[in-house]
Amino acid sequence: MIRVENLSKIYRPDTLPVRALDGITISIKPGEYVAIMGPSGSGKSTFMNLIGCLDKPTSGSYWLDGEEISQVTADELAFIRNQKIGFVFQNFNLLPRMTALRNVELPMLYAGVNKLKRRELAREALERVGMLDRLDHRPTELSGGQNQRVAIARALVNHPKVLLADEPTGNLDSKTSEEIMNIFTDLHKEDTTIVLVTHEPDIARNSQRIIYFYDGVIEKEELTSSS
Amino acid sequence: MIRVENLSKIYRPDTLPVRALDGITISIKPGEYVAIMGPSGSGKSTFMNLIGCLDKPTSGSYWLDGEEISQVTADELAFIRNQKIGFVFQNFNLLPRMTALRNVELPMLYAGVNKLKRRELAREALERVGMLDRLDHRPTELSGGQNQRVAIARALVNHPKVLLADEPTGNLDSKTSEEIMNIFTDLHKEDTTIVLVTHEPDIARNSQRIIYFYDGVIEKEELTSSS
Ligand SMILES: Nc1ncnc2c1ncn2[C@@H]1O[C@H](COP(=O)(O)OP(=O)(O)OP(=O)(O)O)[C@@H](O)[C@H]1O
Ligand SMILES: Nc1ncnc2c1ncn2[C@@H]1O[C@H](COP(=O)(O)OP(=O)(O)OP(=O)(O)O)[C@@H](O)[C@H]1O
Ligand SMILES: [Mg+2]
Ligand SMILES: [Mg+2]
């Protein structure tokens, strides 16, 4: 489903190059549930942005669902992204002047879903993450963990083939984290391919395989007991 | 050092009131190290914003360092805040168009520290959190955990009497979290009063006392083995 070969990303190539990713080769099968761990600054979010079609690599190849897409145009990238990928950002990236409900409806607007259906599916997604009583609040009127849950609802609402979640439980208490992890497990049972970045070993153990990043390269991998 | 009595905060009082804080009474001694835990949406950040002089309560009293300040003007609040408080925000709140270095220098600019000294102290604070090699990066050019560390450096740089940290390790790997907790422990030994919001029990156990919030009220308190 997701395959990268020798993927690299160098920021500031002309001044003081930062080798955020230095030749990553990974293969993730359809329906697989993978976790990514590693120190702060080791390239995890950079990797997620590349496979999430939000940015292009400096070099290397990327196949998504069988299609090589490292050199497509920005428009094509946006189209593929909206079709196949649900993304939970590390800093949520919600639109600050829209309510929680509107923020969750947004991916469906791009996908051409009609207004009544958008509203219904958005409410359903918000209910799933326990946020139905706050759907008319804007991001500044929500707590950190509430914003995180709205971002998760937005990522799920289009029933994507691939769910990419960059530290989705960083602002959640243990009970709420567990509820989110149960949602991910349900999605996994429904054959969603999941890539989850986390700093917490207990969260990572929900996956089938953990990949460890270090300084822009893959340091090691391990299978979990759920594989 | 910090005392609140019957402190309340009601958002949207005229439409659909949200009782974010519902009569909080807490007393924190000078030099005490307290942790706050509780479910997402239970009022922790709201409480921190009130004691951090970033917002005013709907009702109730607040004494900071012996002075009752629940009714002072916005200017007086800003002055007190800059004088006495270092604040690590849950969402960092760094200025996006300034470099890490400039962001950390900012509190000292308000405190009237000269340019050379600002630069020196900012570099020192960034070194303390392991961010010296990224001081010319702007927030969008930094990882989540790097941004969090810059926010921590900014909170420490003025050597505040009171350090308020709202989930300061949410984006950090375990090794970096430990380094940050060691910094807090050192500050505590230097008599800084510390209030730390966290979702992680291991992080909370660095404090002397843990206060549990639930639905805008205090549910219970417990002393830790470090008290
Ligand atoms: N400006 C606002 N307008 C309306 N409601 C608000 C506003 N700010 C916060 N709230 C509500 O107040 C409640 C408490 O929010 P707060 O940010 O204090 O929670 P928290 O304990 O810090 O949660 P988390 O652990 O998720 O960060 C939440 O239910 C939130 O929706
Ligand atoms: N736009 C940019 N320009 C320059 N350097 C960048 C840029 N974006 C990221 N970096 C650098 O690339 C490296 C990798 O960043 P990345 O965000 O992928 O780390 P991460 O593993 O997600 O870290 P964290 O766990 O702290 O979120 C970091 O050292 C960061 O400073
Ligand atoms: Mg990251
Ligand atoms: Mg909060």
Side-chain angles (χ1 to χ4, degrees):
Chain A
M1 176 56 85
I2 290 175
R3 188 169 133 239
V4 304
E5 208 167 279
N6 225 7
L7 204 71
S8 289
K9 181 73 184 178
I10 303 175
Y11 292 114
R12 305 183 160 195
D14 318 317
T15 47
L16 277 163
V18 175
R19 305 193 82 85
L21 287 182
D22 204 357
I24 301 277
T25 294
I26 293 177
S27 197
I28 299 171
K29 303 193 213 51
E32 200 180 351
Y33 187 168
V34 172
I36 296 178
M37 297 189 79
S40 174
S42 53
K44 308 180 297 295
S45 298
T46 301
F47 176 70
M48 294 291 268
N49 288 345
L50 293 182
I51 64 173
C53 300
L54 291 154
D55 194 8
K56 287 204 195 161
T58 306
S59 61
S61 312
Y62 173 27
W63 291 264
L64 175 66
D65 209 6
E67 203 186 335
E68 211 290 338
I69 60 172
S70 57
Q71 300 308 322
V72 301
T73 66
D75 280 349
E76 288 172 298
L77 216 56
F79 181 75
I80 293 166
R81 186 168 71 229
N82 192 264
Q83 283 271 311
K84 307 198 173 191
I85 299 173
F87 204 117
V88 187
F89 294 84
Q90 190 170 3
N91 62 352
F92 318 151
N93 268 358
L94 296 174
L95 297 184
R97 285 184 284 172
M98 283 187 169
T99 60
L101 185 69
R102 283 248 189 282
N103 263 290
V104 176
E105 288 180 345
L106 212 54
M108 294 184 283
L109 191 70
Y110 293 137
V113 177
N114 79 59
K115 189 172 180 183
L116 239 63
K117 196 73 185 149
R118 282 205 306 270
R119 185 121 314 190
E120 177 198 337
L121 292 177
R123 291 181 64 98
E124 212 167 280
L126 283 163
E127 182 171 25
R128 209 170 176 184
V129 298
M131 287 295 300
L132 208 57
D133 64 343
R134 290 278 184 275
L135 42 80
D136 65 333
H137 285 232
R138 288 173 179 72
T140 47
E141 302 170 319
L142 292 170
S143 79
Q146 290 170 341
N147 272 313
Q148 192 154 37
R149 281 180 279 165
V150 172
I152 291 166
R154 181 181 62 177
L156 311 175
V157 79
N158 257 345
H159 298 287
K161 276 185 156 192
V162 178
L163 176 66
L164 304 179
D166 197 344
E167 314 218 32
T169 63
N171 281 285
L172 302 176
D173 54 274
S174 48
K175 174 157 171 289
T176 318
S177 287
E178 204 173 320
E179 290 165 13
I180 296 302
M181 282 300 108
N182 288 339
I183 294 173
F184 283 26
T185 301
D186 291 341
L187 291 170
H188 175 51
K189 294 204 182 101
E190 294 159 26
D191 296 329
T192 310
T193 306
I194 302 181
V195 185
L196 160 72
V197 172
T198 182
H199 282 307
E200 298 183 55
D202 288 344
I203 297 290
R205 278 190 263 278
N206 290 291
S207 70
Q208 299 169 306
R209 168 166 63 125
I210 304 175
I211 300 171
Y212 292 86
F213 276 49
Y214 189 83
D215 262 1
V217 297
I218 296 181
E219 184 185 32
K220 60 175 176 173
E221 283 188 33
E222 58 185 47
L223 297 177
T224 68
S225 52
S226 351
S227 49
Chain B
M1 176 56 84
I2 291 175
R3 189 171 132 236
V4 303
E5 207 166 277
N6 225 7
L7 204 70
S8 290
K9 182 71 183 179
I10 303 174
Y11 291 113
R12 306 183 160 197
D14 317 316
T15 47
L16 276 163
V18 175
R19 306 192 83 85
L21 288 182
D22 203 357
I24 301 277
T25 295
I26 293 177
S27 196
I28 299 172
K29 303 191 214 48
E32 200 180 351
Y33 186 168
V34 171
I36 296 179
M37 298 190 79
S40 175
S42 54
K44 307 179 298 295
S45 297
T46 301
F47 176 70
M48 295 290 268
N49 288 343
L50 293 182
I51 63 171
C53 300
L54 291 154
D55 194 8
K56 287 204 195 161
T58 306
S59 61
S61 313
Y62 172 30
W63 291 263
L64 174 67
D65 210 6
E67 205 186 333
E68 211 291 339
I69 61 172
S70 58
Q71 299 309 321
V72 301
T73 66
D75 281 350
E76 287 172 297
L77 216 55
F79 181 75
I80 293 166
R81 183 168 73 228
N82 192 263
Q83 282 269 313
K84 309 199 174 192
I85 299 173
F87 204 117
V88 186
F89 294 84
Q90 189 169 5
N91 61 353
F92 319 150
N93 268 357
L94 297 173
L95 297 185
R97 284 183 286 171
M98 283 188 170
T99 60
L101 186 69
R102 283 247 190 280
N103 264 290
V104 177
E105 289 179 345
L106 212 53
M108 294 184 282
L109 190 69
Y110 292 137
V113 177
N114 80 59
K115 189 172 183 186
L116 238 65
K117 196 74 186 150
R118 283 205 305 271
R119 185 123 312 192
E120 178 197 335
L121 291 176
R123 290 182 65 99
E124 213 167 280
L126 283 163
E127 182 171 25
R128 208 168 176 185
V129 297
M131 289 296 300
L132 208 58
D133 63 343
R134 291 279 185 273
L135 43 79
D136 66 331
H137 285 229
R138 288 174 179 72
T140 47
E141 302 170 316
L142 291 170
S143 79
Q146 290 170 341
N147 272 314
Q148 193 153 36
R149 283 181 277 165
V150 172
I152 291 167
R154 181 182 60 176
L156 311 175
V157 80
N158 257 346
H159 298 286
K161 276 186 158 192
V162 178
L163 175 66
L164 304 179
D166 197 344
E167 312 219 31
T169 63
N171 282 285
L172 302 176
D173 54 273
S174 47
K175 175 158 169 290
T176 316
S177 288
E178 205 173 321
E179 290 165 13
I180 296 301
M181 283 299 109
N182 289 339
I183 294 174
F184 283 25
T185 301
D186 290 342
L187 290 170
H188 175 50
K189 292 202 183 104
E190 293 159 28
D191 296 332
T192 310
T193 306
I194 303 180
V195 185
L196 160 71
V197 172
T198 182
H199 282 308
E200 299 184 54
D202 288 344
I203 298 290
R205 278 191 263 277
N206 290 290
S207 70
Q208 298 169 306
R209 168 165 64 125
I210 305 175
I211 299 172
Y212 292 84
F213 275 49
Y214 188 83
D215 262 2
V217 297
I218 295 182
E219 185 187 30
K220 59 173 174 169
E221 285 188 32
E222 60 186 44
L223 296 178
T224 67
S225 52
S226 351
S227 49

